[in-house]
Amino acid sequence: MSADMSEETTSGQAHDAAGPPESVVDAAAAAAVAPTSAVAAEARDDLSQVEPVVGAPKPDAILVADDVVRRFGGMTAVDVEHLEVQRGAITALIGPNGAGKTTFFNLLTGFDTPESGRWSFEGKSLAGKSGARVAQSGMVRTFQLTKALSRLTVLQNMLLASPKNPGERFWLSWLPFTWQAHEKEATEKAMEILARFKLDAKADDFAGSLSGGQRKLLEMARALMTDPTMIMLDEPMAGVNPALVQSLLGHVQALRDEGMTVLFVEHDMHAVRHISDWVVVMAEGRIVAEGPPATVMQDQAVVDAYLGAHHDTDLGDDSLLDPEILARLEAEEEKR
Amino acid sequence: MDEFLRILTQSLAELIAPTTAAYALAAIGLNLHFGYTGLLNMGQAGFMLLGAYGFGIATIAGAPFFLALLVALVAGLIFALLLGIPTLQLRGDYLAIVTISAAEIIRWIGRSTWLQEWTGGASGLQGRNYKGTFQDLSPLPDGRTVIGPLEYINTGSDSWWTRIFAWGVVALALLFVWLVTRSPWGRVLKGIREDEDAVRALGKNVYSYKLQSLVLGGMLGALGGVLYVLPITIAPDAMGRTMTFFVWTVLLLGGAATVFGPVLGAMIFFGAYMFMRTGMRALSENTGVGDVISTTNVEQIGGMLVGITLMLLVIFRPQGILGNKKELAFNVR
Amino acid sequence: MTTDRPTRAIALRRTVAALAIALAPAVLASPPAQAAPGADAAHTSSAATSTTATRLATDVATDCKPDDSTACVAVVVMNDAGDRIADAEVTITGPGGFDETVTTTADAPASVAVPEVGRYTLTLDPASLPAGEQLPDGASTELQVTAQTGGTGRAAFQVGGEAVAPESPSAEATTTAPGGDEGTDAGTGTTTEGDGVATAPEGDASERAFSWGQVWQQFGSGIRFGLLLALASIGLNLVFGTTGMSNFAHGEQFALGAALGFIAINQMGMSIWVGGLLTIAVCALTGVAQDAAIWRPLRRRGTPVMQLMIVSIGLSITLQYVIQLLIGGGSERILSANPRPLTLLGITLSTTSWISMAVALVCLIGFALFLTRTRLGRATRAVSDNPALASATGIDPDKVVRVVWILATAFAALAGLMWGISFGSFNWQLGVQLLLLMFAAVTLGGLGTAFGALVGSILIGLVVELSNLVIQSDLRYASALVILILVLLIRPQGILGRRERIG
């Protein structure tokens, strides 16, 4: 694994002229992998006991979903019978394009409403809660197409995420003394996180001036500002310079090692197998397999549904040729 | 030369005219909606008309000045809630269609015979019926005052007192908007303007913030409506879509999402508009141009130029005069 | 992706909002007004803005000049042709034992100064009326007005024949429609003028005998309104579908059809067919021209649709004044001859109206066939659904959009032309007025759905034409917009739209 990483790092330096700071991040992130938190170690321990079958119960599940169904027109985009996500682990949600991953993700985070279903986060039901309430309860998400707030500075992007800011109440907003203390604390915290993501030099730039990869980092950093218990990343690697992928993966691992739970969506198996503790595979709206990465890759259902035809090819383009997948994609597109 | 001086003086007078202040205030409200929050309110004239009616009807019913002002503000608040509660969760262009429709409904109800007893129907309410309480407040002595080329009576419809009061209100509104938009609250609004889903994903109740913005801007619009009718009459047909579009032009001219943009925009808009019309009228009356362009055509050409200005502005300089090129004013959804 | 709240909360909020809107009239009406002095202050000269209509009573000097210390009461007696009747005697009584009799003249309202502010009663002496011009059956000989210093309380008695109902309730009943905006309400001026008019404004349900025949007649007018509206909204919907832009200048394209038709047919004396075709051709050219000069370059630059929308507002303002330059500020008629009525299925409309409806129907069917049966039509739908995918399959979106602009402006011009012909008079504000109803129709049916727009248009037409059974006729357009808002509240995707279309 470390061999992989250094290989990628050198190639990154060659390809990405604008990216010296980014490749430094790689090294930092790689270093961060070593000290693992107790929660993360325990989670890995726990998961090694779990039988790799669909809907398997987890020893310490932070997120439990049951019978979540979402239809677009006549087509069932998501139909998940049972899923548990282990606390303190990195769980990857993978599947070919159009498998319903992002839709499922939107449902869980309150950005879409299912036809039916219930799910709970840390024992509290989240079904029917708005996106904002879900975020307030400690489950924070990012987006596949990055949503950097372009005409705010990087620092403003970060400060916006700070929870419970008294100055965000209208009746206190015009009395600066009521919120300046909180603002100062938040700024310190923001600069710390930005420094970790090597964005501190850009703090006063408009977020719109960042590169695609930097935006991804900013979005992750912004999510961290909310002190989440669980962080949901929607295709964090999509559209990112290959050189930066390693760095991003390193950051994701670092989150886990700090005790956070990570669920992330990805369609490329190769990118996730290094870092995830558990992999859930979706195809045509259903969960077809789950288990540790190595086990899942040998699962016949996965090979059939997903890897068989497209192994080692770029799924993104080929799958577009399949009319069924195309129709599903369009349905998702419309929803957006 | 005298003629030219007269035209120049008239245009200069427009810079501080009460109408200019009224438009500036309405544009400050619209700036909260559009410039800071990205809401497409196409019915600002409806807020203004409702504010004017609230003030006028309350005064005629015997309310003292500040109570009538409060009635105007409450009218704006209720209107904003009625519009915002159902539509702010829908796509942005729905808000545009609903606000422009609602403003028209207000105007039609105002000019209808249905509530003529209160609204005065199509002809509206006469200024003298509701100006008394305002003019009684004037601390200025009787008589007239000349400042430079400008001369007005101290207290009355088209007076110094009206100007002082109107611009005083605008100054207060500017201070208020400056304070709130540089606060964390204003930052959330700007975040919503950029991408409301992102802000929602950070745990902010986007809907509530949009509603707050709509209410605040609407109340400023209602107050603008009061300023607009203080020197004249409440005529529903003068406060229709054209007024909304003029407010937009004023805002985009000065620069959306800037504090002073609306004021600068209003001054330049009305100064230039007056200069152009009086200038063309003078040309038409005194020179051979009159054979081609009659004086009635002057108004029409003036209107056309406003429309063309708006188009050119949005195409070539959407950030307006004061806006930062990086902070382009359009990215709303 | 805008589900911000739990579903139950949405339902609750909608209920609250619906209640609030239902209560809005009460809120409006609630300001405490012990005295009701507003109404009669209405008609002094400085009140209105750019009133272009000729009002029968305001343009003539009266004997009594209201000023800050004087209040006046004025009265006219009119026959059903709108002419003033001379030598009728009217007795005015009021507070403080005021009692005076005035005699009307043919050239000005008879007026008298009254000593006190308050309500005055005017009594018409039927014996003083000419033999052929008696009060209609059941009409009161008494009227009440409120006089106030600085204003004139006005009253009008209407005599002769069926003073209440217009002679031909069919076409005439709707001629006031396009002119009702911005103080140009010429058609109803005679009956709504002043306070306490003897006859209720035409169309006020409470005052008029209700008959199913009348409802059926209005239903027919509603269908006519709806068909023309549907034809006009096609372009709005098409442009929205293919480019995502809400085109605020579309109303002006509609009015341009009527204005150019007026110039070609009425002023230049062309035959209706030649003039009509020429009008449509010129308007279609404006579509091509504006796509080439404005919209295509902006699309190339990737201008956001909201920015385009505001550009279209600028264009709308510009075109409004261009139209005003072309036809002036007053109301105009394309055909100066009186319309010939034609009764079909118990509905009496002018012959031109029936022809317009038939043409509209043919065009709508033709357009539906175009969309479904021709290559270009299918390409248009493909671009509407997904421009990127369409261009990937070899469709040139620019070409499709150019065709869309031609169709949009041509249909709008045809609709405007036929509107001008079958509804009698129109003015330069026809466009802005109809634009909101077009938006309402398109939104009601569901943005981007072709068949939905037709249903929405017919619905709006019916609401507009039938609303005066329930409310004041001068609120008919407002009623259509209230329906729009209510539908958005309950079914944001429109009646026929799919739920997924809403973001």
Side-chain angles (χ1 to χ4, degrees):
Chain A
M1 178 174 164
S2 63
D4 268 17
M5 205 171 274
S6 58
E7 219 175 87
E8 298 260 359
T9 310
T10 36
S11 70
Q13 273 166 341
H15 288 295
D16 187 18
E22 286 167 1
S23 32
V24 179
V25 181
D26 297 347
V33 178
T36 301
S37 82
V39 184
E42 200 180 312
R44 248 180 250 179
D45 239 33
D46 280 351
L47 281 176
S48 64
Q49 317 292 320
V50 175
E51 205 186 338
V53 292
V54 173
K58 310 289 184 305
D60 185 8
I62 189 168
L63 178 71
V64 182
D66 281 295
D67 302 317
V68 179
V69 178
R70 177 73 170 104
R71 293 192 188 88
F72 294 118
M75 181 169 28
T76 307
V78 169
D79 182 3
V80 170
E81 273 175 29
H82 185 77
L83 174 69
E84 294 186 9
V85 176
Q86 171 73 16
R87 183 191 306 274
I90 297 178
T91 304
L93 183 61
I94 66 164
N97 271 336
K101 305 176 304 266
T102 295
T103 309
F104 184 48
F105 215 69
N106 287 342
L107 293 171
L108 290 181
T109 50
F111 279 77
D112 193 359
T113 317
E115 264 68 35
S116 67
R118 52 190 190 282
W119 61 100
S120 61
F121 175 66
E122 296 202 282
K124 275 176 258 158
S125 171
L126 282 187
K129 290 262 165 59
S130 70
R133 296 294 289 278
V134 170
Q136 283 163 13
S137 70
M139 191 162 107
V140 173
R141 70 168 295 178
T142 65
F143 294 87
Q144 184 179 350
L145 301 164
T146 40
K147 293 182 182 294
L149 306 171
S150 315
R151 286 179 287 162
L152 296 184
T153 66
V154 170
L155 182 60
Q156 281 176 326
N157 263 272
M158 297 293 286
L159 292 178
L160 180 64
S162 170
K164 299 198 177 71
N165 188 339
E168 286 180 1
R169 291 188 200 140
F170 169 68
W171 56 88
L172 293 181
S173 64
W174 51 286
L175 302 170
F177 62 87
T178 58
W179 44 262
Q180 263 160 352
H182 182 278
E183 193 80 349
K184 195 158 165 273
E185 259 173 54
T187 309
E188 277 165 20
K189 184 174 159 197
M191 291 310 290
E192 244 170 64
I193 298 176
L194 284 178
R196 178 170 149 197
F197 286 85
K198 296 280 180 263
L199 286 171
D200 48 344
K202 303 247 176 202
D204 293 324
D205 293 4
F206 279 120
S209 68
L210 298 182
S211 74
Q214 286 171 326
R215 287 181 200 210
K216 289 271 181 197
L217 288 175
L218 173 60
E219 214 181 345
M220 216 185 279
R222 201 171 60 191
L224 288 187
M225 274 299 280
T226 64
D227 298 321
T229 8
M230 179 166 178
I231 185 158
M232 315 270 284
L233 306 169
D234 192 356
E235 304 212 11
M237 269 67 92
V240 173
N241 183 330
L244 200 51
V245 167
Q246 271 315 316
S247 146
L248 270 165
L249 291 178
H251 281 301
V252 173
Q253 272 179 313
L255 298 181
R256 187 255 329 259
D257 296 335
E258 281 165 24
M260 258 172 254
T261 309
V262 179
L263 176 68
F264 77 110
V265 164
E266 192 53 66
H267 76 256
D268 183 4
M269 186 79 184
H270 307 287
V272 302
R273 67 168 176 235
H274 302 301
I275 63 159
S276 45
D277 302 313
W278 196 260
V279 175
V280 177
V281 186
M282 277 184 86
E284 295 176 358
R286 297 168 172 278
I287 295 178
V288 293
E290 62 174 294
T295 322
V296 163
M297 288 195 77
Q298 266 125 53
D299 190 302
Q300 194 53 42
V302 178
V303 176
D304 289 350
Y306 174 25
L307 300 171
H310 305 291
H311 199 54
D312 281 331
T313 60
D314 187 350
L315 286 157
D317 294 329
D318 286 358
S319 57
L320 271 175
L321 299 175
D322 183 345
E324 231 182 280
I325 289 173
L326 201 62
R328 189 191 296 273
L329 266 180
E330 270 172 18
E332 277 194 35
E333 202 61 44
E334 249 176 46
K335 179 65 196 102
R336 227 170 264 136
Chain B
M1 197 59 210
D2 279 357
E3 182 74 9
F4 183 70
L5 265 181
R6 187 182 62 80
I7 293 169
L8 211 59
T9 311
Q10 263 186 328
S11 312
L12 188 73
E14 273 301 288
L15 296 186
I16 60 155
T19 312
T20 310
Y23 270 90
L25 193 57
I28 291 171
L30 185 64
N31 198 16
L32 264 182
H33 294 158
F34 176 72
Y36 290 103
T37 323
L39 300 176
L40 284 167
N41 171 16
M42 284 288 158
Q44 191 67 338
F47 285 98
M48 296 174 77
L49 181 57
L50 213 53
Y53 273 138
F55 175 79
I57 293 171
T59 306
I60 290 171
F65 180 73
F66 286 101
L67 182 63
L69 219 50
L70 191 70
V71 170
L73 286 173
V74 170
L77 180 138
I78 292 173
F79 190 50
L81 289 178
L82 282 179
L83 291 181
I85 287 172
T87 46
L88 284 178
Q89 57 179 348
L90 303 177
R91 229 168 38 199
D93 45 351
Y94 278 106
L95 182 70
I97 293 175
V98 167
T99 44
I100 195 171
S101 303
E104 284 297 280
I105 291 173
I106 298 289
R107 188 174 66 83
W108 269 317
I109 290 177
R111 72 194 305 285
S112 140
T113 51
W114 179 39
L115 296 177
Q116 197 168 28
E117 218 176 330
W118 291 282
T119 61
S123 312
L125 297 173
Q126 278 292 84
R128 76 169 73 82
N129 295 330
Y130 58 80
K131 283 174 192 165
T133 55
F134 169 66
Q135 289 169 6
D136 290 346
L137 279 184
S138 170
L140 303 176
D142 287 346
R144 308 174 70 83
T145 305
V146 182
I147 299 179
L150 304 176
E151 180 187 350
Y152 303 104
I153 50 170
N154 287 342
T155 305
S157 285
D158 188 27
S159 67
W160 286 111
W161 169 232
T162 315
R163 283 170 175 73
I164 291 168
F165 179 80
W167 287 104
V169 172
V170 170
L172 281 179
L174 276 184
L175 178 70
F176 172 75
V177 166
W178 179 71
L179 278 173
V180 297
T181 53
R182 63 198 284 277
S183 74
W185 183 81
R187 193 167 58 211
V188 178
L189 293 194
K190 289 181 212 166
I192 292 170
R193 173 190 71 191
E194 298 303 310
D195 192 319
E196 60 175 79
D197 275 340
V199 176
R200 193 174 285 129
L202 296 173
K204 316 289 175 199
N205 188 341
V206 168
Y207 180 78
S208 159
Y209 280 100
K210 289 207 276 190
L211 201 57
Q212 290 172 34
S213 165
L214 190 71
V215 165
L216 264 180
M219 285 165 75
L220 287 175
L223 213 51
V226 176
L227 293 189
Y228 182 75
V229 298
L230 273 180
I232 49 171
T233 58
I234 301 177
D237 291 335
M239 303 174 82
R241 294 164 305 246
T242 312
M243 183 179 233
T244 298
F245 296 157
F246 276 20
V247 175
W248 271 90
T249 312
V250 160
L251 174 64
L252 295 174
L253 185 66
T258 62
V259 173
F260 288 100
V263 174
L264 187 72
M267 287 181 158
I268 293 177
F269 179 83
F270 284 102
Y273 195 42
M274 177 59 85
F275 183 77
M276 189 181 65
R277 284 185 307 163
T278 46
M280 281 201 298
R281 205 173 293 134
L283 281 181
S284 163
E285 277 161 5
N286 304 332
T287 65
V289 181
D291 302 335
V292 192
I293 303 171
S294 73
T295 43
T296 48
N297 288 350
V298 166
E299 292 296 320
Q300 292 152 5
I301 293 173
M304 277 164 61
L305 287 178
V306 172
I308 292 171
T309 308
L310 180 59
M311 287 166 73
L312 293 179
L313 202 60
V314 176
I315 294 172
F316 294 109
R317 203 176 160 82
Q319 73 274 33
I321 296 171
L322 290 181
N324 180 339
K325 182 77 185 165
K326 279 185 195 147
E327 256 196 275
L328 287 183
F330 294 90
N331 184 27
V332 295
R333 310 179 314 137
Chain C
M1 293 241 283
T2 33
T3 25
D4 202 18
R5 290 282 185 88
T7 336
R8 247 169 312 152
I10 292 174
L12 180 71
R13 200 162 61 239
R14 283 181 182 163
T15 318
V16 171
L19 273 176
I21 288 200
L23 288 175
V27 174
L28 271 169
S30 61
Q34 312 95 318
D40 35 298
H43 293 292
T44 39
S45 55
S46 65
T49 49
S50 59
T51 310
T52 46
T54 50
R55 285 221 160 81
L56 280 165
T58 43
D59 51 350
V60 183
T62 57
D63 310 341
C64 165
K65 294 260 192 308
D67 61 34
D68 283 357
S69 59
T70 319
C72 300
V73 169
V75 59
V76 288
V77 179
M78 284 182 295
N79 66 13
D80 53 351
D83 296 323
R84 295 199 182 90
I85 292 178
D87 302 317
E89 286 188 7
V90 179
T91 308
I92 301 166
T93 54
F98 183 80
D99 189 343
E100 198 161 323
T101 301
V102 294
T103 307
T104 60
T105 61
D107 49 14
S111 67
V112 62
V114 292
E116 267 183 64
V117 174
R119 276 192 95 65
Y120 287 79
T121 305
L122 295 86
T123 315
L124 175 67
D125 180 8
S128 64
L129 292 170
E133 309 276 17
Q134 284 296 324
L135 274 169
D137 286 347
S140 168
T141 58
E142 279 191 9
L143 283 179
Q144 292 212 319
V145 297
T146 305
Q148 196 194 13
T149 51
T152 302
R154 289 170 191 281
F157 287 98
Q158 200 148 21
V159 299
E162 292 291 314
V164 189
E167 272 195 338
S168 78
S170 58
E172 289 305 312
T174 46
T175 47
T176 59
D181 192 34
E182 312 266 347
T184 51
D185 209 346
T188 51
T190 52
T191 42
T192 55
E193 181 70 29
D195 192 7
V197 178
T199 57
E202 163 246 311
D204 191 337
S206 58
E207 298 289 330
R208 196 175 48 190
F210 176 87
S211 85
W212 286 110
Q214 181 64 25
V215 173
W216 180 237
Q217 172 66 34
Q218 283 175 251
F219 179 83
S221 305
I223 297 289
R224 172 180 64 170
F225 198 121
L227 280 174
L228 290 181
L229 195 62
L231 192 60
S233 349
I234 285 178
L236 195 65
N237 215 3
L238 266 183
V239 171
F240 179 85
T242 48
T243 67
M245 176 176 84
S246 304
N247 180 15
F248 273 68
H250 193 70
E252 272 60 49
Q253 293 293 338
F254 176 82
L256 200 62
L260 293 181
F262 165 72
I263 291 173
I265 296 166
N266 189 312
Q267 294 194 329
M268 296 167 71
M270 290 183 201
S271 85
I272 192 163
W273 300 109
V274 176
L277 285 175
L278 189 70
T279 299
I280 293 166
V282 171
C283 287
L285 271 182
T286 65
V288 182
Q290 63 178 285
D291 183 45
I294 307 173
W295 307 121
R296 194 165 31 170
L298 287 180
R299 277 202 305 281
R300 289 255 165 87
R301 281 168 46 173
T303 315
V305 287
M306 291 311 162
Q307 199 167 340
L308 294 181
M309 186 179 103
I310 299 177
V311 175
S312 82
I313 288 177
L315 183 64
S316 155
I317 299 175
T318 313
L319 284 177
Q320 253 177 63
Y321 288 101
V322 169
I323 291 170
Q324 211 181 342
L325 269 180
L326 288 175
I327 65 166
S331 286
E332 302 293 354
R333 302 171 74 94
I334 294 177
L335 300 181
S336 32
N338 276 330
R340 270 174 299 136
L342 174 67
T343 307
L344 292 174
L345 303 169
I347 297 170
T348 309
L349 295 173
S350 63
T351 313
T352 46
S353 290
W354 286 111
I355 297 173
S356 299
M357 285 164 76
V359 172
L361 206 58
V362 167
C363 286
L364 289 169
I365 294 170
F367 177 68
L369 291 178
F370 163 79
L371 275 189
T372 48
R373 299 290 166 82
T374 67
R375 206 180 124 71
L376 195 57
R378 280 196 295 266
T380 309
R381 280 163 64 209
V383 172
S384 284
D385 287 345
N386 188 340
L389 200 67
S391 62
T393 53
I395 295 170
D396 176 5
D398 270 344
K399 187 181 154 204
V400 169
V401 171
R402 194 181 319 131
V403 172
V404 160
W405 274 104
I406 293 174
L407 284 176
T409 46
F411 277 137
L414 175 62
L417 180 71
M418 295 200 302
W419 184 286
I421 289 173
S422 50
F423 280 69
S425 64
F426 70 96
N427 66 16
W428 61 282
Q429 297 192 338
L430 177 64
V432 250
Q433 182 113 81
L434 263 287
L435 177 73
L436 284 181
L437 295 186
M438 288 184 223
F439 269 130
V442 169
T443 316
L444 269 188
L447 275 175
T449 59
F451 184 62
L454 175 64
V455 176
S457 299
I458 300 279
L459 208 70
I460 290 290
L462 290 177
V463 166
V464 166
E465 294 289 357
L466 289 171
S467 65
N468 66 357
L469 295 170
V470 200
I471 55 165
Q472 241 95 349
S473 60
D474 53 7
L475 285 175
R476 46 208 246 151
Y477 287 172
S479 68
L481 298 185
V482 169
I483 300 269
L484 163 71
I485 293 179
L486 286 177
V487 168
L488 278 183
L489 208 68
I490 299 157
R491 237 185 111 80
Q493 70 273 33
I495 300 167
L496 294 178
R498 283 186 295 161
R499 182 161 168 258
E500 280 76 27
R501 287 237 172 231
I502 304 306

